[in-house]
């Protein structure tokens, strides 16, 4: 066999082989869970498949320039279960999620799209409620849902309703708000208490009757980010907390930016009913999903001004300084507890709570 | 009861009532079928919920202006079954669909996004194939997939893989290529033979062995539209043929633009294997889905030049003149057969073939 034919044969054989992600040749729930397996799916399969410099921005939205204007572009799919929960529904969640991804680049949201995958048998009235909720949330942010698509799948091939939203926003500031903007010594601020969304979802899904009903924190952060920018706060990086919670967000940023970071456990606010629900369920609030909270990376000199703006806004009144960016490193995130004991955080490997968003 | 209380009561009762679309209080497959029921869902529920002037453009993509630049924005969900079929797969289909929606505004595709909803148990190798196909199709069009999202749902809550793609394109011409651009006397051109995608899908899905394997026409039309624009062809409106086929596309445009139209049945090319498959299946090729064909509305004076450009391109070599725009009307579309008998076309009410795209 001539060498060319052999090498061709080898290539064909290789491309026909199942391509595993870690030990997996099939997708498991944890590949969507915001933890290490999702990171492996993205790093080993999705990013290499689509390799381009825009993906290397490693941010919630991609920023590009058209005719001297900087625009942000983002997309997300929503498969939350149940569709209606205390504090929101899949429609509000989808629109807030997209608005927040735009806001994390400091973009003013302009236009949104919605692609619906509806399961046969889904009540028209529920669909109407979700659409109304989407529109109200978009309008409140000054954005409009301008294009969409509707598909129907057979009963048993969906779960009521899945929504994918995309968004375009306009960047009117001159900053580079992105992981690459993080600097040694930056302060890490948190916009509010954590864990509400995850607890609200699990309580509603499993019919758990906690003493106090915990509402999801599901909210649009674009207005708050706009106020920070107008106040001239020097924002280095923003990240909203979703799947994987505060821990996953900070770990991802530490890894992508290439800095070690330290958080103070006692500074991180967790509301009493969320804390007690987490204790009952065996969850660590640091890893529980949020949908209306963000971490902010600002230079130490900007902390006072940033907190002033945050505290004056309904979505930031519990904001606080929770940590600092250390020196260049491999992205180690340490959590210091009140007894000065330091625990190194890790991405969850598996799935704490599926279908959270 | 005072009148105010009464009227409040009535309103509450009304808003709690199921809101039917036609006689339906639950979504049925035909609400996603490209026919009359889908139109009712969009007109009675989705458009009113999101009411804004951009939706009133009634086109495949929405056009907006940012800093003097015109951009097009579009989204689509894909639930095609099976995921792999002769001539393509869900990845190629999703990217082509979004490229085509941008092309229908004459936009050059720039950036795409992809939101994946993956069913637990889906083979990683199949996912890799689909992602490679998406990337190859985008790259060939000079576009990049720049942002994305991945969700996983439990086994039995999906059907392998659903994809929602969105796209942003740049409009570099000065034309208004949209339903509102259609004029009385415009020629209606068709870029190629019809019905291939629908026949390819049903044959693969049902394991039907026709004498000749029909391949889907799934293709990106953005290059061809770019050539028409560069050749200076005055394009009034473009529409790619998808769910509901040629008939649904022309009926929708006739209704939205407010003109009656006439098509010549004998001028509409249908390949022999597609025609015989349709005869066996009881399908009318006019209503069968396509994924790489479009109708073009041009002034009569531009027909020669348009056909020259079309015929010189691999995706347009069978292009032909198939009809004319008549006078202002309610959107009646007549089909004249070779015996000069005229049949008035209507939107299909139900579902000819679900999960075609």
């Amino acid at each position: 066999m001539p060498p060319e034919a052999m090498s061709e044969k080898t290539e064909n054989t290789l491309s026909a082989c199942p391509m595993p992600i870690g030990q997996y040749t099939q997708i498991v729930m944890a590949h969507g869970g915001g933890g290490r397996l999702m990171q492996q799916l993205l790093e080993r399969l999705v990013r290499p498949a689509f390799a381009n410099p825009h993906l290397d921005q490693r941010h919630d939205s991609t920023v590009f320039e058209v005719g001297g204007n900087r625009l942000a572009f983002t997309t997300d799919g929503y498969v939350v279960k149940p569709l209606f929960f205390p504090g929101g529904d899949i429609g509000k969640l989808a629109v807030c999620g997209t608005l927040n991804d735009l806001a994390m680049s400091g973009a003013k949201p302009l236009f949104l799209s919605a692609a619906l995958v509806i399961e046969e048998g889904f009540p028209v009235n529920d669909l109407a409620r979700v659409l109304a909720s989407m529109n109200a949330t978009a309008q409140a942010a000054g954005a409009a849902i301008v294009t969409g698509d509707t598909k129907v799948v057979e009963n048993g091939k969906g779960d009521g309703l899945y929504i994918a939203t995309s968004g375009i926003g306009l960047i009117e500031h001159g900053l580079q708000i992105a992981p690459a903007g993080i600097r040694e010594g930056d302060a890490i601020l948190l916009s509010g208490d954590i864990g509400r969304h995850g607890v609200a979802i699990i309580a509603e899904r499993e019919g758990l009757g906690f003493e106090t009903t915990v509402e999801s924190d599901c909210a649009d952060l674009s207005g708050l980010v706009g106020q920070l920018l107008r106040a001239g706060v020097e924002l280095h990086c923003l990240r909203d907390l979703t799947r994987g919670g505060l821990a996953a967000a900070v770990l991802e940023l530490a890894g992508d930016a290439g800095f070690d970071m330290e958080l103070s456990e006692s500074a991180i606010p967790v509301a009493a009913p969320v804390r007690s629900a987490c204790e009952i369920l065996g969850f660590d609030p640091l890893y529980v999903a949020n949908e209306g909270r963000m971490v902010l990376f600002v230079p130490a000199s900007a902390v006072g001004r940033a907190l002033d703006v945050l505290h004056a806004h309904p979505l930031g009144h519990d904001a606080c300084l929770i940590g600092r960016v250390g020196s260049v490193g491999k992205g180690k995130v340490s959590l210091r507890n009140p007894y000065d004991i330091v625990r190194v955080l890790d991405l969850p490997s598996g799935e704490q709570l599926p279908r959270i968003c």
Side-chain angles (χ1 to χ4, degrees), chain A residues 118-134:
Chain A
I118 314 173
E119 187 188 10
E120 185 185 17
F122 189 65
V124 169
N125 205 36
D126 284 355
L127 182 59
R129 277 174 70 194
V130 170
L131 297 178
S133 172
M134 294 181 79

Side-chain angles (χ1 to χ4, degrees), chain A residues 4-24:
Chain A
E4 304 83 35
M6 230 180 87
S7 98
E8 199 176 280
K9 179 108 204 292
T10 314
E11 273 181 28
N12 282 343
T13 314
L14 273 180
S15 73
C17 270
M19 181 191 300
I21 317 171
Q23 76 267 47
Y24 297 95

Side-chain angles (χ1 to χ4, degrees), chain A residues 231-254:
Chain A
V233 175
E234 188 185 342
L235 300 170
H236 284 177
C237 185
L238 299 171
R239 177 65 53 96
D240 60 332
L241 314 180
T242 58
R243 286 179 281 182
L246 173 64
V250 176
L251 278 161
E252 266 178 41
L253 289 176

Side-chain angles (χ1 to χ4, degrees), chain A residues 85-208:
Chain A
F85 50 82
D89 58 55
I90 189 173
K92 180 180 175 187
L93 187 71
V95 172
C96 285
T98 290
L99 293 170
N100 290 349
D101 282 350
L102 294 175
M104 295 308 105
S105 298
K108 187 179 86 176
L110 297 177
F111 302 113
L112 307 181
S113 70
L116 312 176
V117 176
I118 314 173
E119 187 188 10
E120 185 185 17
F122 189 65
V124 169
N125 205 36
D126 284 355
L127 182 59
R129 277 174 70 194
V130 170
L131 297 178
S133 172
M134 294 181 79
N135 193 55
T137 310
Q139 281 200 327
I145 299 167
V146 296
T147 187
D149 183 56
T150 307
K151 292 291 188 311
V152 180
V153 295
E154 301 89 342
N155 190 274
K157 298 294 181 189
D159 199 6
L161 177 64
Y162 299 144
I163 302 179
T165 43
S166 297
I168 298 176
L170 181 63
I171 296 181
E172 297 175 302
H173 57 79
L175 307 172
Q176 297 285 349
I177 305 173
I182 293 175
R183 294 285 171 271
E184 183 174 342
D186 274 358
I188 307 175
L189 309 181
L190 172 64
S191 68
D193 65 321
I194 59 170
R196 287 184 181 270
H197 181 69
V199 169
I201 292 290
I202 190 75
E204 182 73 15
R205 192 191 295 170
E206 307 298 339
L208 306 175

Side-chain angles (χ1 to χ4, degrees), chain A residues 48-337:
Chain A
F50 294 160
N52 65 64
H54 293 279
L55 283 177
D56 298 339
Q57 296 177 11
R58 297 177 171 276
H59 203 20
D60 291 336
S61 55
T62 290
V63 175
F64 62 92
E65 207 177 297
V66 172
N69 294 284
R70 282 203 300 159
L71 294 169
F73 181 33
T74 185
T75 196
D76 269 307
Y78 292 88
V79 300
V80 67
K81 180 183 184 168
L83 297 175
F84 300 92
F85 50 82
D89 58 55
I90 189 173
K92 180 180 175 187
L93 187 71
V95 172
C96 285
T98 290
L99 293 170
N100 290 349
D101 282 350
L102 294 175
M104 295 308 105
S105 298
K108 187 179 86 176
L110 297 177
F111 302 113
L112 307 181
S113 70
L116 312 176
V117 176
I118 314 173
E119 187 188 10
E120 185 185 17
F122 189 65
V124 169
N125 205 36
D126 284 355
L127 182 59
R129 277 174 70 194
V130 170
L131 297 178
S133 172
M134 294 181 79
N135 193 55
T137 310
Q139 281 200 327
I145 299 167
V146 296
T147 187
D149 183 56
T150 307
K151 292 291 188 311
V152 180
V153 295
E154 301 89 342
N155 190 274
K157 298 294 181 189
D159 199 6
L161 177 64
Y162 299 144
I163 302 179
T165 43
S166 297
I168 298 176
L170 181 63
I171 296 181
E172 297 175 302
H173 57 79
L175 307 172
Q176 297 285 349
I177 305 173
I182 293 175
R183 294 285 171 271
E184 183 174 342
D186 274 358
I188 307 175
L189 309 181
L190 172 64
S191 68
D193 65 321
I194 59 170
R196 287 184 181 270
H197 181 69
V199 169
I201 292 290
I202 190 75
E204 182 73 15
R205 192 191 295 170
E206 307 298 339
L208 306 175
F210 296 120
E211 219 164 292
T212 318
T213 299
V214 174
E215 292 215 337
S216 167
D217 57 313
C218 179
D220 157 36
L221 295 165
S222 65
L224 175 51
V225 172
Q227 292 204 0
L228 288 159
L229 288 167
R230 280 190 295 278
V233 175
E234 188 185 342
L235 300 170
H236 284 177
C237 185
L238 299 171
R239 177 65 53 96
D240 60 332
L241 314 180
T242 58
R243 286 179 281 182
L246 173 64
V250 176
L251 278 161
E252 266 178 41
L253 289 176
D256 289 346
F259 287 98
D260 294 335
M261 300 185 181
E262 185 174 303
L263 303 179
S264 158
E265 189 168 11
S266 59
I268 299 167
V270 183
V274 170
R275 192 175 292 282
S276 64
C278 283
E279 274 166 17
I280 294 166
L281 296 164
F283 288 169
D284 181 343
L286 287 176
Y287 291 89
V288 175
N290 310 267
E291 288 291 339
R293 299 291 183 252
M294 61 178 163
V295 282
L296 306 90
F297 291 75
V298 299
S301 59
V303 170
R305 174 163 243 174
L307 285 175
D308 285 348
V309 177
L310 284 158
H311 291 157
H313 193 281
L315 294 174
H317 54 67
D318 293 330
C320 50
L321 174 67
I322 61 161
R324 298 248 165 228
V325 175
S327 50
V328 168
K330 289 186 174 170
K332 186 175 80 169
V333 177
S334 312
L335 185 75
R336 185 174 296 272
N337 80 5

